[in-house]
Amino acid sequence: MIVFEHVNKVYPSGIEAVRDLCLTVEAGETMVLLGTSGSGKTTTMKMVNRLIEPSGGKIRIDGCNVLDRNPVELRRSIGYAIQHIGLFPHMTVAQNIAVVPSLLGWPAGEIEDRVDRLLAMVGLEPEDFRDRFPGQLSGGQKQRIGVARALAADPPVVLMDEPFGALDPITREQLQNEFLSLESEIEKTIVFVTHDIFEAVKMGDRIALLDNGVLQQLATPAELVENPANPFVDDFLGQHRFQLALLTRSVRAVVETGNSSQVAESAETAAAKSLDPEASLIDALDWFKRNREDEVALRDRHGKLAGVLRRSELVAAIGRVIEAGGSCQ
């Protein structure tokens, strides 16, 4: 758990980057810090590992004030993934991932096993990538290595500063989806910085929207879209309310109660074509556009059948969103 208690950051120039921030990031939660350039989101994140020192207030990790800890030891205990990755060009992929475990004195065999496990976890075959150098990798592969390095020492807290921001849209969406699948396995407390409202809604358990260093609203993605706290939040959502409403509502929420009795019959016809019950209405709309089917079986990440979504149900749900003026109600 990370707790911000009346945290401030004032630079020598007099600029107040963060003002009286009170915020709790629960253990195992992905908290997205969202805002435009200059809103204070990156400053807030960097104060957690003291890359930027707070001017006032306290930041506690599991009850311990970060200012009471040695900054170097603190940073080694917190995973950190950034937009431009920062891989060491003269080191192999394995050596890049192993940097922090090596500094912490892990045994060589344990480091090797951890590197291979992490490479597999981020979708890269260890035999193929372990001995490559960063210059031999694509942008998406580099970003995967950056995430693996952030997780290398198995830290309880991971900071992510627009980690997918420099990627092309297709690779970015792919890595977002892969990271969402990875979250349940790594079970970390994550602070994720972005300026992209769609990325925030997709990635966050909750969103902290900042403006000029002040917290404007703290809410789940659905709450943020449905109930903007003030005119600034409403303006920030802008013309994207309808798309965001579809993105924050899951398929599970629109499936008719009781239709799971027809799962087995429909699942056989759907074969490998299926959707996760937690997929968004946008994901479902995209599925029906790509597949000439009237319904799709719903399977969770373990392959268990959970229901059937019919095209007519999806159309009706989207109609309700339109009637509600772009909210999820």
Side-chain angles (χ1 to χ4, degrees), residues 22-313:
C22 295
L23 177 68
T24 296
V25 185
E26 301 292 345
E29 177 180 37
T30 297
M31 175 69 73
V32 173
L33 302 180
L34 174 66
T36 58
S37 178
S39 63
K41 57 188 186 298
T42 298
T43 298
T44 297
M45 184 204 67
K46 288 185 176 181
M47 287 192 289
V48 174
N49 65 355
R50 293 181 62 185
L51 286 177
I52 294 176
E53 297 283 1
S55 303
K58 295 179 180 179
I59 302 174
R60 301 182 186 274
I61 298 178
D62 294 333
C64 180
N65 188 346
V66 298
L67 293 178
D68 293 335
R69 297 188 58 183
N70 178 285
V72 174
E73 293 178 357
L74 174 69
R75 289 166 199 153
R76 290 178 182 174
S77 70
I78 296 175
Y80 188 42
I82 60 176
Q83 178 175 340
H84 298 292
I85 309 152
L87 298 181
F88 298 110
H90 60 288
M91 291 184 176
T92 65
V93 163
Q95 291 169 335
N96 266 282
I97 296 174
V99 167
V100 174
S102 297
L103 290 172
L104 294 175
W106 286 25
E110 190 173 340
I111 292 176
E112 185 177 341
D113 290 343
R114 181 67 175 166
V115 167
D116 286 355
R117 183 183 174 196
L118 286 168
L119 283 171
M121 190 183 295
V122 298
L124 299 175
E125 176 57 48
E127 290 294 333
D128 291 339
F129 287 90
R130 186 189 303 119
D131 296 323
R132 293 192 192 184
F133 287 88
Q136 300 171 307
L137 305 175
S138 68
Q141 290 167 346
K142 289 178 182 177
Q143 199 63 68
R144 286 181 170 88
I145 301 304
V147 171
R149 185 173 65 180
L151 300 173
D154 199 20
V157 172
V158 178
L159 309 179
M160 307 189 76
D161 190 2
E162 303 208 45
F164 312 130
L167 301 173
D168 64 87
I170 293 176
T171 304
R172 184 179 188 182
E173 182 176 9
Q174 181 183 16
L175 287 185
Q176 287 171 345
N177 292 337
E178 289 176 359
F179 190 77
L180 286 172
S181 298
L182 185 63
E183 278 184 321
S184 62
E185 182 176 350
I186 61 176
E187 298 180 339
K188 305 297 181 186
T189 302
I190 299 170
V191 178
F192 190 109
V193 168
T194 184
H195 65 275
D196 185 332
I197 179 63
F198 289 97
E199 183 169 65
V201 164
K202 183 172 185 176
M203 304 300 293
D205 294 314
R206 288 191 297 161
I207 298 170
L209 178 57
L210 300 166
D211 179 52
N212 289 323
V214 177
L215 179 63
Q216 299 295 321
Q217 186 166 358
L218 175 62
T220 66
E223 291 168 345
L224 187 76
V225 174
E226 293 173 23
N227 300 300
N230 55 47
F232 170 82
V233 180
D234 198 37
D235 288 343
F236 190 90
L237 297 175
Q239 299 177 349
H240 304 302
R241 293 285 293 277
F242 174 68
Q243 292 171 279
L244 292 168
L246 297 184
L247 190 58
T248 56
R249 196 172 194 192
S250 72
V251 166
R252 187 189 298 276
V254 306
V255 171
E256 291 181 4
T257 303
N259 80 3
S260 58
S261 61
Q262 302 175 32
V263 169
E265 178 183 349
S266 298
E268 290 183 6
T269 61
K273 297 177 180 178
S274 63
L275 273 176
D276 189 311
E278 302 307 322
S280 72
L281 296 192
I282 283 185
D283 294 329
L285 183 61
D286 181 63
W287 190 94
F288 280 109
K289 286 174 65 178
R290 289 185 287 104
N291 296 277
R292 296 181 178 180
E293 305 283 352
D294 292 323
E295 58 187 32
V296 58
L298 304 179
R299 302 174 188 266
D300 64 21
R301 66 187 59 187
H302 304 294
K304 183 179 179 180
L305 295 169
V308 172
L309 175 67
R310 301 183 183 88
R311 184 189 293 268
S312 59
E313 290 176 318

